[in-house]
Amino acid sequence: MPNNPTLDKNMTETETALRREAARLLSQGEVAVFLGHEEGWDGVPVPFAASTAAEAGRLVWNPLSAPHLAKYLLDRLEGDEKVGIVVNGCGSLALDRILKDRRFPRERLHVVGIPCSGMLDPARVAALSDEERERVLKDGPVDPGLFLDRCSWCDVPNPVVSDTLLSEPLPVVRHRPEYPRVAELEAMDREERAEYLRGLYERCIRCFACRNVCPACNCRECCLDQWEPLWLGRATSPAEQQMFHFIRAFDVAGRCIRCGECERVCSVGLPLMELNDKFLKDITELFGVERPHIPADVEPLGCFEPGDPDLEDHG
Amino acid sequence: MAESAATPAESRPPGTAGTAVEKPPAGEETREWEPVIVGFLCNWCSYAGADSAGTARMVHPTNVRIVRVPCSGRVNPRFVLRAFQRGADGVLISGCHPGDCHYSTGNFYARRRLLLLKGYLEYLGIDPRRFRTHWVSASEGQKWAEVVRSMCEEVKALGPAPSLGNLV
Amino acid sequence: MSTSLASGAPTAPKAVRLVRAADLGRWLDALSAGSRVWAPQSVGGRPRYRELTPGREGRLDLEAVRTVDSPKAALLPQTEPLLAYRRAKDPGTGRPSLDLTPVPPAEPVVLFGVRPCDAAAVELLDGVFLTGDFVDEHYKARREKSVIVTVACSAPDRACFCTSFGLSPGSTREADVVLYGRSGPGPKAEPDAYYCVAYSDRGEALLTSEASRSAGVVEPPADEGQKLEDTVAAFRNLPTPLAERVGRVDVVDKLDGLFESPYWEKVAARCLGCGTCTFVCPTCFCFGVADCAAGGRGVRFRYWDSCKFPHFLRMAGGHDPRPHKKHRTRQRFMHKLNYHYHRYGRYLCVGCGRCVESCPVGLHLPQVADEVRGLEG
């Protein structure tokens, strides 16, 4: 069952509450820095680290506050200062991913949570005409196609990690994840699929934005950066291009939160989640994990059942 | 067809069972094409199984280039992806039977990972017959020989793996 | 800002022709016969600048405001083999040796449909690779066999700021031929024909070649002389939207004193540390050299590297002079707006707007250039 994302009508009040709360945390010294969004040059919210109460006044919360912030915690591993961060439902999954992977101490965090009923895709909104954009951002109604892909299956409107909630929790309707894009690919011939993937990943410019934005790609040193062993050759040959993405997807298998941030930041528009979704789908089918994108205390690949499906080939 | 591991295991330096033969360089393909299969064998069961096949002088193909790993749980899926990328015609992973792992549970973890890998490789367009997983214990030399023979035949029939487009 | 070419007025046209938009495909086919041809194409829904290869995905898209990737890859490929080697035996002594094979010589290439800013970027790359104590043979070989066919911009978008660096939507810098839409600039311009003006001998040779002539590149009507001049002037005088906000960028002196500014921490706090900006940038030129080897054979190649990557400056002993994101972010902007100016007398930016459009977190050069003006120091 698909989700029906909507825009929160009270975002302006939430934004005011966010600024107030961040200013309080900063001025009372509870946190040394607060991670949120500020308005970028083209009006779209961009990640922002406020370090004074005055700077907290620049924080924004609006229908385009899509970028997740948890990954920025890894820039602040040094020292012991406390960090404030704002998260909505899916943003909290990203944060939880980093916490469950034990990459940032929970006790150094103050999490401000905002229940969320949907966020727009900044790129899709940017493609609208000026009047249309104005209308959408002011009072809607909003075409469901303008929301982020992740909103269409989200059933985590309320933050799973938070110290302060800025508004009332929203009702939760659980539904089974579906993976239509994987099914589409699986329906192709194997050769056709190989050809498709080859053509697809040839377009990659190897900027690593997908990896850098991914909350599950949080290793101390990324294998793709290593020289010894050389997991990824530096040549942008078709084989290496594919290997980059095949490795990237497998390395987050069982830990991907299905946020799709990788796709959102891809400057050449690669449908990267086609690979990640394959793992999510298979994890459900093989191991019976119903919502594999929700961070768990023990990940699907960090455990086993003696009765897991048989692996041995007979031939 | 040649004998594999014909010398007793004790007289060889460790880790040299089934020593790899180089692919004939391009342009000198006078011999019949032989597939290159990379095998990841756990030290405690399958590697010993391959050894026992050798000491029992069982005849089986030498196409498998064996990489000895402490446990099938050591096999990072990237090993397999990289092997295919660099031109392997097939990859074989073999470990202790479930329940018999030297480290109790290593192969159970491996099983989950490799189950995912199997589906993934096919999804990436790699023929599933080129990737096999088996449980071979130290006493199953016969089974090892059979696994290698059947896999070699199958991969040979498939022909060389399609190139993914390397620089070299 | 008017025809503000820092190096003075454009050189006089050497040849003028006219080509109908409908004949462009034919012309490209004709050019492909003697050269490799690169052109802006729509690939997977995005404008990309790539080689035209029969059978490969991609549709010519001359009016895309900017391609995701710049044309620099035609002169400085993302992966460029430098030599090939093979393990061998010395026939005399029987000792092992290496057979070295140089890469095949560069083939002639036409960079078609380049935007004026990207052509101007080639001038900056030339400065790096062709001047000073070291001349890069590989770049030189490609560059000498290249012809740049620019298409003047009819509708610069909200990310365009070439005029901030003294260029213009009709700049002829480093262009061998410039195509000007006959209907002049305008937001909805879909020209039915282009004036083709050659500004160099190479451009003249291309325009007047038999291949071009037979593909419909013809003499313009004799009475259109004035119209051509007006059209060219209109393109040169076209403003660029983002430059209206940024103004003329001249911050080299300001940045001299800002190396230790806390501002860089603010910038780094937003940076994702990816290499998007450097890889889409037409003027970023940093590269690394590596080998790809197997079975006794190998290729040594160079590949684009990025100062934004954590391993970029790491040395053999493990020391990294730029260990933090702050250092790496600062490096890129300082290089563009200060270091390069000190070495070459030019800013390392042409205002193409790619970082504005592609940065996943909206961190881009014009904003930084604007913000540093207001900093203390």
Side-chain angles (χ1 to χ4, degrees):
Chain A
M1 189 189 74
N3 195 16
N4 289 317
T6 53
L7 284 187
D8 183 356
K9 294 286 173 212
N10 302 317
M11 275 189 156
T12 319
E13 290 91 81
T14 310
E15 183 178 82
T16 312
L18 171 65
R19 288 176 181 167
R20 200 183 309 123
E21 177 67 2
R24 184 188 69 78
L25 290 166
L26 286 163
S27 59
Q28 296 181 353
E30 280 196 42
V31 300
V33 67
F34 190 91
L35 304 181
H37 308 89
E38 69 173 333
E39 193 177 291
W41 256 31
D42 52 2
V44 175
V46 293
F48 171 56
S51 41
T52 62
E55 281 183 349
R58 277 156 63 184
L59 291 168
V60 295
W61 189 255
N62 65 42
L64 297 171
S65 299
H68 284 167
L69 303 163
K71 191 70 187 281
Y72 287 102
L73 291 173
L74 302 189
D75 292 343
R76 299 183 184 274
L77 285 170
E78 282 172 29
D80 52 8
E81 57 178 34
K82 272 194 91 170
V83 181
I85 185 170
V86 59
V87 294
N88 58 354
C90 58
S92 77
L93 296 183
L95 176 60
D96 204 23
R97 176 75 278 141
I98 281 169
L99 293 174
K100 293 248 159 63
D101 289 344
R102 280 174 274 177
R103 289 291 279 128
F104 199 85
R106 177 70 177 90
E107 54 280 9
R108 278 184 57 201
L109 278 179
H110 185 100
V111 185
V112 174
I114 300 180
C116 166
S117 54
M119 279 284 169
L120 302 180
D121 184 331
R124 289 173 194 165
V125 173
L128 297 174
S129 70
D130 288 351
E131 309 88 64
E132 187 64 359
R133 188 163 49 239
E134 182 92 338
R135 190 190 62 74
V136 162
L137 295 179
K138 275 263 150 41
D139 41 285
V142 186
D143 172 4
L146 287 176
F147 284 89
L148 292 164
D149 284 344
R150 60 177 179 249
C151 299
S152 71
W153 61 70
C154 174
D155 60 2
V156 188
N158 305 313
V160 296
V161 186
S162 68
D163 297 304
T164 320
L165 262 196
L166 292 186
S167 56
E168 287 303 305
L170 295 163
V172 178
V173 186
R174 288 263 182 271
H175 35 94
R176 259 186 103 79
E178 288 168 12
Y179 307 97
R181 290 158 72 183
V182 178
E184 230 170 86
L185 250 75
E186 283 175 340
M188 289 171 152
D189 279 358
R190 198 173 52 243
E191 284 77 20
E192 193 189 346
R193 203 160 48 225
E195 199 47 46
Y196 164 78
L197 291 172
R198 187 187 161 113
L200 198 61
Y201 290 109
E202 195 194 15
R203 295 185 209 153
C204 169
I205 59 168
R206 211 57 102 77
C207 68
F208 292 103
C210 49
R211 174 198 64 183
N212 285 17
V213 81
C214 175
C217 279
N218 57 34
C219 293
R220 284 173 182 80
E221 185 178 22
C222 176
C223 74
L224 301 172
D225 283 342
Q226 286 177 321
W227 281 94
E228 193 65 52
L230 186 67
W231 294 108
L232 178 67
R234 267 43 175 181
T236 42
S237 59
E240 300 287 6
Q241 294 291 75
Q242 294 184 64
M243 210 45 52
F244 166 26
H245 291 284
F246 295 172
I247 290 176
R248 186 193 61 76
F250 209 126
D251 281 20
V252 299
R255 298 185 306 111
C256 170
I257 60 162
R258 216 187 175 200
C259 61
E261 285 282 275
C262 49
E263 279 186 6
R264 192 179 63 75
V265 301
C266 180
S267 55
V268 298
L270 292 174
L272 300 168
M273 288 300 289
E274 282 174 3
L275 298 182
N276 296 42
D277 275 0
K278 169 69 177 162
F279 288 112
L280 292 161
K281 178 170 180 274
D282 283 2
I283 285 170
T284 303
E285 285 173 6
L286 291 165
F287 314 129
V289 182
E290 286 209 358
R291 299 164 75 227
H293 60 292
I294 307 293
D297 287 328
V298 182
E299 295 308 326
L301 291 185
C303 61
F304 64 86
E305 292 291 336
D308 279 338
D310 184 26
L311 177 67
E312 185 160 30
D313 291 303
H314 303 277
Chain B
M1 290 277 208
E3 280 179 10
S4 161
T7 35
E10 301 76 54
S11 65
R12 274 184 287 103
T16 55
T19 305
V21 221
E22 272 204 9
K23 260 189 181 178
E28 294 169 33
E29 279 139 11
T30 45
R31 280 176 288 171
E32 199 187 343
W33 173 78
E34 288 289 336
V36 174
I37 295 170
V38 179
F40 296 98
L41 273 60
C42 100
N43 176 54
W44 305 99
C45 292
S46 300
Y47 192 81
D51 249 0
S52 79
T55 42
R57 305 203 156 243
M58 285 170 199
V59 175
H60 65 282
T62 55
N63 303 59
V64 181
R65 273 59 160 174
I66 295 175
V67 180
R68 182 161 66 160
V69 289
C71 175
S72 50
R74 172 64 181 94
V75 179
N76 188 325
R78 282 182 230 145
F79 294 175
V80 180
L81 290 167
R82 268 310 247 182
F84 278 119
Q85 188 218 338
R86 296 314 299 262
D89 300 303
V91 177
L92 166 64
I93 296 175
S94 188
C96 307
H97 286 267
D100 290 348
C101 178
H102 182 78
Y103 307 100
S104 313
T105 54
N107 57 1
F108 282 120
Y109 290 103
R111 184 164 68 179
R112 281 210 158 186
R113 222 172 289 148
L114 297 177
L115 277 165
L116 279 183
L117 180 61
K118 248 175 196 278
Y120 191 48
L121 289 174
E122 153 118 60
Y123 191 70
L124 303 181
I126 295 170
D127 194 312
R129 289 169 292 184
R130 296 188 186 276
F131 176 64
R132 288 234 234 157
T133 44
H134 285 281
W135 311 125
V136 173
S137 79
S139 59
E140 291 176 319
Q142 183 70 50
K143 182 177 178 185
W144 169 254
E146 190 43 50
V147 159
V148 170
R149 193 175 306 126
S150 73
M151 180 160 186
C152 276
E153 272 170 25
E154 193 164 42
V155 174
K156 209 166 171 176
L158 287 172
S163 164
L164 291 172
N166 278 307
L167 217 53
V168 174
Chain C
M1 221 159 297
S2 61
T3 63
S4 48
L5 281 169
S7 53
T11 42
K14 292 186 180 265
V16 178
R17 292 289 184 278
L18 187 76
V19 64
R20 291 187 305 136
D23 285 333
L24 285 172
R26 210 148 64 92
W27 191 19
L28 285 169
D29 286 343
L31 294 175
S32 302
S35 297
R36 291 176 171 272
V37 177
W38 288 57
Q41 301 162 57
S42 172
V43 179
R46 308 267 166 138
R48 302 292 299 268
Y49 198 85
R50 309 212 297 187
E51 187 175 351
L52 277 176
T53 315
R56 196 181 179 201
E57 179 192 10
R59 186 174 45 75
L60 183 72
D61 184 7
L62 210 54
E63 286 300 319
V65 176
R66 74 176 67 70
T67 47
V68 175
D69 26 21
S70 84
K72 76 175 169 188
L75 300 170
L76 186 69
Q78 184 157 12
T79 300
E80 178 176 25
L82 303 176
L83 60 89
Y85 53 86
R86 184 174 185 149
R87 207 188 298 146
K89 219 174 229 174
D90 188 293
T93 61
R95 288 221 185 103
S97 68
L98 275 185
D99 278 348
L100 297 186
T101 325
V103 291
E107 293 175 66
V109 58
V110 176
L111 282 74
F112 196 89
V114 171
R115 288 298 182 190
C117 51
D118 291 336
V122 173
E123 187 183 33
L124 297 170
L125 295 179
D126 286 353
V128 173
F129 289 106
L130 302 179
T131 67
D133 294 339
F134 181 78
V135 170
D136 187 290
E137 293 303 329
H138 300 274
Y139 179 87
K140 184 165 174 250
R142 286 173 192 278
R143 182 70 179 101
E144 280 176 350
K145 292 194 172 179
S146 64
V147 186
I148 298 177
V149 180
T150 293
V151 54
C153 306
S154 48
D157 73 7
R158 59 189 178 82
C160 284
F161 63 109
C162 64
T163 48
S164 293
F165 287 97
L167 297 164
S168 82
S171 163
T172 59
R173 217 183 265 184
E174 291 307 315
D176 296 301
V177 174
V178 180
L179 308 187
Y180 301 95
R182 181 152 69 161
S183 45
K188 295 266 184 289
E190 276 180 22
D192 61 340
Y194 293 89
Y195 292 116
C196 315
V197 184
Y199 291 100
S200 71
D201 294 339
R202 271 189 252 188
E204 186 183 6
L206 180 127
L207 272 194
T208 56
S209 69
E210 176 53 28
S212 297
R213 201 196 55 75
S214 60
V217 181
V218 296
E219 300 263 356
D223 59 352
E224 285 196 22
Q226 187 57 44
K227 186 173 176 210
L228 169 65
E229 260 180 51
D230 293 347
T231 308
V232 170
F235 278 106
R236 290 227 183 94
N237 292 321
L238 203 60
T240 52
L242 195 56
E244 309 266 290
R245 178 166 179 184
V246 186
R248 182 75 180 222
V249 172
D250 195 9
V251 290
V252 58
D253 296 337
K254 182 80 189 181
L255 280 168
D256 279 342
L258 288 176
F259 188 79
E260 299 291 355
S261 167
Y263 172 69
W264 302 114
E265 309 225 356
K266 280 284 172 199
V267 175
R270 196 203 295 172
C271 180
L272 209 53
C274 72
T276 305
C277 52
T278 49
F279 286 179
V280 299
C281 178
T283 64
C284 272
F285 53 79
C286 289
F287 60 85
V289 176
D291 280 20
C292 177
R297 294 183 303 132
V299 168
R300 177 155 299 173
F301 59 93
R302 71 166 154 207
Y303 61 95
W304 292 355
D305 206 343
S306 170
C307 56
K308 290 294 188 82
F309 291 161
H311 290 219
F312 180 67
L313 221 59
R314 187 195 273 181
M315 298 175 185
H319 175 63
D320 189 340
R322 291 185 210 130
H324 293 290
K325 211 190 260 180
K326 177 185 110 174
H327 306 134
R328 300 191 286 267
T329 323
R330 174 178 65 194
Q331 166 62 24
R332 181 158 192 276
F333 292 115
M334 286 295 268
H335 187 189
K336 296 274 174 207
L337 298 171
N338 182 277
Y339 308 153
H340 198 85
Y341 193 94
H342 284 310
R343 278 188 80 177
Y344 294 96
R346 290 285 178 78
Y347 290 107
L348 194 60
C349 177
V350 291
C352 72
R354 284 194 180 81
C355 53
V356 181
E357 189 172 83
S358 287
C359 176
V361 291
L363 176 62
H364 47 72
L365 186 132
Q367 179 173 11
V368 170
D370 185 50
E371 284 175 355
V372 295
R373 289 184 183 130
L375 296 177
E376 302 285 326

